[in-house]
Amino acid sequence: MSPSKSIFLKALNREILPTAPIWYMRQAGRYMPEYRAIRKKFSNFMDMCKNPEVCCELALQPLNAYELDAAILFSDILTVPDALGMEVNFIEGKGPIFNNPINTANDIFNLPIFDPENVSYVFEAVSNIKNAIHEDIPLIGFTGSPWTLAAYSIEGQSSKNFNKTIGFLKEQPHAMETLLTMLTDACFIYLRKQVQSGADVVQIFDSWANLLNEKEIESISHKYIKNLIQYLKQDSITKDIPIILFSRDPKCSSNSLIETKADCLSLYSTMVNFEKELTYGRVAIQGNLNPKILLESRNIIKDETYKILSKYKDYPGYIFNLGHGITPDINPDNVKYLTDIVREF
Ligand code: CP3
């Protein structure tokens, strides 16, 4: 990697750039016909994630289509609970279903220690992708946040309000702390191995931060994200790896997110009044076009995109991205159009 050439790494290093680097959350996925052609060969999405050659091919698809400034590992955040014996499968029309979710405090105390051998397929995918991409294109590895992984592990499936998880949090706070601590350790080992295998940057997805109130987000989510970031910053292998934090619609101040010590904050679409003045010079920013805008006309796409680019044009460390992942209903031609107009700005 010649880091001096990557505008993505420059932005993460808080440089002001003439053009914003671009990548998209969920840039590989069902909205792409090339993805669907491969996906239909697997009935269970998890089996596809366990095939490092296929993961490599899928990670390259969006780079080939749009010449993006970063690649992201093709995998899923649910590989970690799967590796802890919870057996995650994806059922058509239902999303992820856990065979052994956490039901009681004892289930937590009986969890095995995370063994990275159980996810060796992820590290193989990382090294395959790293070998296949141009040396100037950084590769992003990722994990779910401890809280987000705990929420899926208890709920055992996707849910709108995660009632079982919220109930468990109220009734079993000590067991919850144990689970969050175990997951923090697992995430650290998981990311460290991804870096050893070739990841240049890592992103932490706190996709269910929105379930927590302002007080809980500190003690249930950010406390463990801070620990994870501290472990990464202290480790000889990961200490110089930029860390991006995506938090979905968090009920907290921008300061609380900055205090996690992430190098870059990935802003959710609703974070329009995020205090730019407060974050200026302290943290890089990524985001945050609402993915739904990609369903609108080209005039609207351009207006909304240029509003965001104007806002951040002199910001030290700005990366263009969406506020959340691309959804399956988006037309790939609009993703191409969006990429072109960001570069023309
Ligand atoms: O290019 C990329 O970003 C692809 C890599 C990637 C996937 N999942 C592939 C995927 C990444 C970074 C993720 C992260 C992920 N997985 C998150 C955090 C990001 C976010 O959106 O907040 C979460 C919460 C998950 C868990 C997950 N994975 C769910 C709940 C689902 C089912 C819902 C859905 O979108 O279908 C998935 C499935 C999934 N992960 C797909 C892909 C491409 C679709 C699977 C399919 O083809 O059926």
Side-chain angles (χ1 to χ4, degrees):
M1 165 66 118
S2 38
S4 56
K5 290 206 185 119
S6 159
I7 57 170
F8 177 56
L9 292 182
K10 284 182 184 173
L12 287 169
N13 208 17
R14 300 201 294 272
E15 282 185 39
I16 299 175
L17 300 165
T19 346
I22 314 170
W23 73 280
Y24 301 114
M25 285 192 273
R26 297 284 187 104
Q27 61 193 26
R30 280 167 297 189
Y31 77 102
M32 291 185 96
E34 306 90 300
Y35 172 88
R36 294 195 301 270
I38 294 180
R39 175 70 176 87
K40 69 174 189 238
K41 298 180 193 160
F42 296 84
S43 61
N44 181 354
F45 172 72
M46 216 56 193
D47 292 335
M48 194 166 79
C49 290
K50 291 179 183 178
N51 185 322
E53 286 76 34
V54 168
C55 289
C56 178
E57 192 177 343
L58 293 172
L60 298 180
Q61 288 180 343
L63 298 189
N64 294 335
Y66 317 113
E67 296 179 54
L68 302 169
D69 297 301
I72 180 161
L73 162 66
F74 190 89
S75 190
D76 200 82
I77 62 166
L78 301 181
T79 52
V80 169
D82 186 63
L84 290 169
M86 294 181 219
E87 292 181 20
V88 182
N89 294 297
F90 280 77
I91 315 280
E92 207 50 61
K94 282 195 182 157
I97 302 286
F98 288 52
N99 286 347
N100 309 312
I102 288 164
N103 294 313
T104 64
N106 260 340
D107 290 343
I108 292 175
F109 303 129
N110 291 329
L111 280 177
I113 302 256
F114 175 72
D115 180 355
E117 271 302 302
N118 294 341
V119 278
S120 55
Y121 59 88
V122 174
F123 313 129
E124 252 182 79
V126 170
S127 75
N128 288 351
I129 299 164
K130 187 66 192 168
N131 288 329
I133 58 182
H134 190 278
E135 60 168 3
D136 297 333
I137 300 295
L139 173 57
I140 306 165
F142 67 87
T143 181
S145 70
W147 158 247
T148 291
L149 294 179
Y152 279 111
S153 303
I154 295 169
E155 207 66 28
Q157 58 185 48
S158 270
S159 159
K160 268 217 161 70
N161 41 27
F162 281 71
N163 285 333
K164 184 183 171 201
T165 306
I166 298 298
F168 192 93
L169 177 62
K170 301 264 154 25
E171 282 152 32
Q172 300 285 356
H174 295 298
M176 189 60 139
E177 273 177 38
T178 306
L179 177 61
L180 290 166
T181 303
M182 285 184 73
L183 288 169
T184 305
D185 294 344
C187 291
F188 168 59
I189 297 166
Y190 188 53
L191 289 179
R192 188 175 189 269
K193 280 263 180 189
Q194 290 184 33
V195 169
Q196 272 181 314
S197 308
D200 303 291
V201 172
V202 296
Q203 177 152 328
I204 301 168
F205 285 96
D206 199 9
S207 299
W208 290 107
N210 60 322
L211 298 173
L212 302 171
N213 65 33
E214 193 168 3
K215 218 173 126 201
E216 289 165 336
I217 202 169
E218 290 304 328
S219 58
I220 308 295
S221 184
H222 290 179
K223 175 179 167 188
Y224 299 92
I225 290 174
K226 272 183 200 164
N227 287 346
L228 173 58
I229 293 177
Q230 194 185 2
Y231 299 159
L232 292 165
K233 295 288 180 200
Q234 283 172 354
D235 184 89
S236 60
I237 289 166
T238 52
K239 66 179 174 26
D240 297 322
I241 296 292
I243 302 168
I244 307 173
L245 173 62
F246 166 75
S247 180
R248 172 165 165 189
D249 203 10
K251 314 286 180 280
C252 67
S253 66
S254 35
N255 233 355
S256 169
L257 289 164
I258 293 174
E259 280 167 6
T260 62
K261 301 277 168 69
D263 300 286
C264 175
L265 298 177
S266 191
L267 304 187
Y268 188 69
S269 319
T270 54
M271 295 163 84
V272 280
N273 296 321
F274 199 73
E275 297 116 283
K276 199 177 109 194
E277 293 67 30
L278 181 68
T279 54
Y280 195 94
R282 294 172 75 191
V283 71
I285 292 289
Q286 173 175 281
N288 65 343
L289 184 74
N290 188 335
K292 287 203 171 80
I293 297 291
L294 287 169
L295 300 170
E296 303 289 339
S297 69
R298 295 206 159 177
N299 281 341
I300 296 178
I301 296 175
K302 193 165 189 174
D303 282 355
E304 294 299 317
T305 302
Y306 280 13
K307 265 188 223 163
I308 296 173
L309 292 175
S310 309
K311 181 169 170 184
Y312 286 104
K313 77 175 174 351
D314 302 318
Y315 189 87
Y318 173 70
I319 297 153
F320 185 76
N321 205 315
L322 304 173
H324 203 183
I326 302 183
T327 48
D329 50 0
I330 286 168
N331 181 343
D333 292 342
N334 284 352
V335 178
K336 170 89 177 75
Y337 174 72
L338 175 64
T339 312
D340 289 344
I341 60 168
V342 173
R343 294 204 166 118
E344 277 164 20
F345 177 76

